[in-house]
Amino acid sequence: MDKTFTFLGDRLRGLPMPELRKDPIVGRWVIIATDRAKRPVAPKNEQLAGGSQFCPFCEGHETNTPLEILAYRDRGSGRNEKGWRVRVVPNKFPALQIEGDQQKRGEGIYDRMNGIGAHEVIIECPFHEITMANLAEDNIREVLWVYRDRLVDLKKDPRLVYGMVFKNVGAAAGASLEHTHSQLIVTPIVPINVWEEMSGSLEFFNYRGRCIYCDMIHQELGTEKRVVLDMPNFVAFAPYASRFPFETWILPKNHSSHYENIQKNEVDELGTVLKTILMKLETGLDKPAYNYIIHTSAFDTQLLPHYHWHIEVIPRLTRVAGFEWGTGFYINPVPPEQAAAFLKETEVDPAAGTQKR
């Protein structure tokens, strides 16, 4: 536990449930979730819980997690028992909770509502592996299918509007447990970053009549200066205005606005693409901390001609400091052209170095 949170002690138990509060100036919503202060926090030397310590995510420790929501299992195995390959459980320290009503209300000029949503953990394998890049391609494909299955299911709840799948690897990226896992947080509003992305895409579409992401794919494949990996259905490249060194985006070549509409042949290829990109980053950059995030459309929208789902992979090689926080500018010391060339030349074998039970 972080010393600051430990010192505050019982004072952090003031809210009975998470709460969403809106910044009236820029329209940003903030989640106030006191239970998050109780989660494991990596100490200053950035070592994560795991290794020789007890790991609640390993097979055989199912009773040490909340009851599972979904699991891909071997035939004959039972819920919350051994025999699973990928497992989904509620986050023990949720940012948002599924029970209750929104109860939108005002307080003078301020807006707030109850923190209704979902916060789930996707445990990506039963053995204690600390990097997704070491998982078999079939294992990664099942993880990608789990993402789809959970989004499809949660989309049925009319209270929920947006689902974001993300992965934190390493303490510098926000991870608190080292066993490879990812998370899904579903919110009752569209986050401001996503709203800005979708609004910018719509503005381009209204002006040009085309999807800006489709145009981006066409241009990047045409110049090849920033392309890291070119596959039949997917392309990975360093974005032209990369915010961070070695930032890499993965996009489907065929236009699609919602990740949950992904098809089996696409998942088969995406498993290889994601594993390859992660292996290149770990091999070329000496296993950096990183985040990846699936950017997709809101639940309450139909197929959108202007928006294109994609995955952003962001190595945490630099720190965001005062200038970035104060201005919204990012300082990237590595040109994306050089980053892409370096990663493209980093040779890896996605079929090698995999672990199996």
Side-chain angles (χ1 to χ4, degrees), residues 129-205:
E129 176 56 67
I130 64 173
T131 171
M132 192 183 205
N134 281 351
L135 301 183
E137 289 176 73
D138 283 346
N139 192 162
I140 295 176
R141 290 176 185 126
E142 287 202 318
V143 172
L144 295 171
W145 268 117
V146 165
Y147 294 165
R148 175 216 173 259
D149 284 351
R150 293 309 302 140
L151 288 170
V152 167
D153 184 53
L154 289 162
K155 192 173 185 174
K156 299 172 185 175
D157 189 329
R159 301 171 303 164
L160 307 181
V161 174
Y162 190 81
M164 176 164 283
V165 176
F166 63 96
K167 183 176 179 66
N168 304 331
V169 177
S176 55
L177 290 171
E178 68 177 14
H179 189 128
T180 185
H181 67 285
S182 40
Q183 299 182 61
L184 167 62
I185 293 184
V186 184
T187 61
I189 48 90
V190 177
I192 191 169
N193 286 2
V194 177
W195 180 262
E196 289 174 347
E197 203 172 71
M198 295 181 72
S199 297
S201 302
L202 180 59
E203 185 178 348
F204 182 91
F205 183 84

Side-chain angles (χ1 to χ4, degrees), residues 8 19 31 68 83 148 181 196 208 236 258 286 317 322-323:
L8 289 174
E19 189 174 82
I31 299 172
E68 69 188 43
R148 175 216 173 259
H181 67 285
E196 289 174 347
R208 297 283 183 90
H258 293 70
D286 194 23
L317 301 172
F323 177 74

Side-chain angles (χ1 to χ4, degrees), residues 25-181:
I25 301 173
V26 297
R28 179 189 300 110
W29 285 88
V30 175
I31 299 172
I32 309 296
T34 53
D35 271 355
R36 295 294 287 168
K38 304 170 189 174
R39 65 194 281 266
V41 177
K44 297 298 183 181
N45 60 4
E46 296 192 342
Q47 295 298 310
L48 298 178
S52 61
Q53 300 182 37
F54 174 83
C55 176
F57 290 171
C58 286
E59 185 179 52
H61 299 163
E62 290 79 14
T63 58
N64 295 100
T65 67
L67 298 178
E68 69 188 43
I69 299 168
L70 170 70
Y72 291 175
R73 294 185 156 277
D74 298 336
R75 188 181 299 273
S77 63
R79 286 175 59 85
N80 301 299
E81 296 178 355
K82 292 182 178 182
W84 54 276
R85 300 184 302 277
V86 182
R87 187 167 182 254
V88 183
V89 299
N91 193 298
K92 196 172 181 179
F93 308 100
L96 298 169
Q97 67 181 46
I98 199 73
E99 301 85 3
D101 299 317
Q102 288 181 341
Q103 295 183 15
K104 296 180 180 179
R105 53 204 183 275
E107 186 178 329
I109 63 170
Y110 303 118
D111 293 315
R112 62 177 176 172
M113 69 177 81
N114 287 343
I116 299 301
H119 191 172
E120 301 176 358
V121 177
I122 299 94
I123 308 170
E124 297 161 351
C125 66
F127 47 87
H128 195 79
E129 176 56 67
I130 64 173
T131 171
M132 192 183 205
N134 281 351
L135 301 183
E137 289 176 73
D138 283 346
N139 192 162
I140 295 176
R141 290 176 185 126
E142 287 202 318
V143 172
L144 295 171
W145 268 117
V146 165
Y147 294 165
R148 175 216 173 259
D149 284 351
R150 293 309 302 140
L151 288 170
V152 167
D153 184 53
L154 289 162
K155 192 173 185 174
K156 299 172 185 175
D157 189 329
R159 301 171 303 164
L160 307 181
V161 174
Y162 190 81
M164 176 164 283
V165 176
F166 63 96
K167 183 176 179 66
N168 304 331
V169 177
S176 55
L177 290 171
E178 68 177 14
H179 189 128
T180 185
H181 67 285

Side-chain angles (χ1 to χ4, degrees), residues 326-346:
T327 64
F329 279 107
Y330 291 89
I331 302 175
N332 181 0
V334 182
E337 295 77 15
Q338 294 180 14
F342 177 83
L343 292 176
K344 189 173 185 178
E345 294 168 4
T346 301

Side-chain angles (χ1 to χ4, degrees), residues 257-271:
S257 56
H258 293 70
Y259 175 84
E260 61 268 27
N261 293 335
I262 195 168
Q263 301 298 304
K264 184 181 184 303
N265 67 309
E266 294 174 312
V267 168
D268 288 345
E269 186 177 299
L270 182 57

Side-chain angles (χ1 to χ4, degrees), residues 258-310:
H258 293 70
Y259 175 84
E260 61 268 27
N261 293 335
I262 195 168
Q263 301 298 304
K264 184 181 184 303
N265 67 309
E266 294 174 312
V267 168
D268 288 345
E269 186 177 299
L270 182 57
T272 300
V273 171
L274 182 58
K275 179 178 171 67
T276 302
I277 293 301
L278 297 182
M279 289 184 73
K280 283 177 174 288
L281 290 171
E282 292 194 0
T283 301
L285 304 177
D286 194 23
K287 298 184 178 179
Y290 67 85
N291 304 99
Y292 74 59
I293 307 103
I294 297 180
H295 290 236
T296 185
S297 295
F299 289 162
D300 59 350
T301 59
Q302 301 299 317
L303 301 180
L304 300 177
H306 62 273
Y307 191 73
H308 202 114
W309 77 261
H310 59 285

